Amino acid sequence: MLTGILEGKIAIVTGAGRGIGKAAALSLARAGAVVAVNYNHSADQAQAVVNEIVNNGGRAKAWQCDVSSFDDCGAFFSDVIKEFGRLDILVNNAGVTRDGLLMRMTEADYDLVMDVNLKGTFHGIRHAARQMVKQKYGRIINISSVVGITGNGGQANYAASKAGIIGLTKSAAKELGSRGITVNTVAPGFIETEMTAVLPEEQKSKLASQIPLGRFGQPEDVAAAIVFLASEYGAYITGQVLQVDGGMVM
């Protein structure tokens, strides 16, 4: 990771208490950014991320916010901007799953996944854009998934939310590009997180065999793509979907 390439930048990472969000927060901090570590329920985990950043010489602060709430997001973003004076980078990572076959899926499970994953991403963009437009600068990175491209049995709600994020990204990129704001999507494949840790070893081996690179990715693989898009190295990239999947979907 190139240290210092984000020196002085202010970043928000939603759902940053664990997994990809945690790796993104740590990597952005190593690159020099000040990080607002968002969580909804995992206060202890979020504070542990903050402590790790601070112990390594960085700056960070934890904020509780339910990203599915427009008003909560508004207050959260306002607090971050008031605290640090600006907002340069937004990583819309917060997400949930409620897997099940379509014919058995409840309306509540469908709505929850859409509210957190897709509407939460909209809320983030909506509240970040006002400040970024004033600055005439911003980097927005939305976390989708390869299943938003391919679909996946048993994940109709999740796949729909992640596909929606791709369409939202492209629309926002077209609206905000003239103001110096880039909007991109990172679409991870199978990444070793708490979500995939519960899979049986036999299933994980079968899935890994379908990936050209022959293994699951690490959260840090996704975080590296996020830092790249957040930096000046990604300044002329917008409206794109960067798949971090070991070649699984081509």
Side-chain angles (χ1 to χ4, degrees):
M1 193 67 64
L2 296 175
T3 58
I5 62 172
L6 297 176
E7 195 68 42
K9 302 298 185 186
I10 307 300
I12 287 176
V13 182
T14 67
R18 57 185 180 178
I20 291 170
K22 174 183 177 180
L26 295 175
S27 294
L28 289 166
R30 280 195 294 271
V34 177
V35 184
V37 176
N38 162 253
Y39 69 95
N40 189 15
H41 302 297
S42 54
D44 291 344
Q45 290 173 307
Q47 189 57 49
V49 174
V50 169
N51 292 345
E52 185 171 346
I53 290 171
V54 172
N55 290 340
N56 287 322
R59 291 178 63 197
K61 183 175 177 178
W63 264 277
Q64 192 279 334
C65 171
D66 175 2
V67 298
S68 70
S69 166
F70 184 85
D71 290 340
D72 277 8
C73 276
F76 165 46
F77 278 69
S78 178
D79 285 349
V80 172
I81 294 164
K82 188 179 298 182
E83 177 96 9
F84 299 119
R86 58 186 292 119
L87 175 61
D88 302 293
I89 300 160
L90 168 62
V91 181
N92 281 309
N93 168 75
V96 298
T97 57
R98 289 296 185 274
D99 296 349
L101 295 175
L102 186 59
M103 291 182 64
R104 297 177 183 172
M105 186 174 292
T106 65
E107 183 180 11
D109 282 347
Y110 182 86
D111 286 347
L112 176 65
V113 171
M114 296 298 283
D115 284 349
V116 175
N117 298 4
L118 182 53
K119 191 186 287 187
T121 299
F122 160 71
H123 290 161
I125 296 171
R126 172 67 171 73
H127 290 297
R130 184 181 297 274
Q131 177 65 27
M132 291 179 174
V133 164
K134 288 180 183 177
Q135 299 167 178
K136 296 184 179 179
Y137 178 90
R139 300 281 187 267
I140 298 173
I141 300 107
N142 302 318
I143 307 304
S144 179
S145 167
V146 292
V147 305
I149 300 167
T150 65
N152 195 34
Q155 288 192 307
N157 50 0
Y158 186 74
S161 71
K162 294 301 187 177
I165 286 172
I166 293 172
L168 178 59
T169 294
K170 291 177 181 291
S171 298
K174 289 183 176 182
E175 289 191 23
L176 299 174
S178 64
R179 306 303 182 93
I181 302 165
T182 65
V183 189
N184 291 287
T185 289
V186 174
F190 286 109
I191 306 297
E192 289 189 3
T193 62
E194 292 180 16
M195 195 179 296
T196 57
V198 300
L199 297 174
E201 286 301 320
E202 182 179 348
Q203 186 178 357
K204 285 198 281 189
S205 296
K206 183 179 179 180
L207 291 169
S209 71
Q210 300 169 7
I211 301 171
L213 290 185
R215 63 174 178 86
F216 281 20
Q218 299 296 318
E220 290 73 20
D221 294 321
V222 184
I226 292 168
V227 171
F228 166 71
L229 289 171
S231 75
E232 291 310 300
Y233 293 109
Y236 198 58
I237 300 171
T238 195
Q240 302 304 306
V241 180
L242 177 53
Q243 294 171 212
V244 182
D245 63 359
M248 184 176 73
V249 176
M250 297 189 192

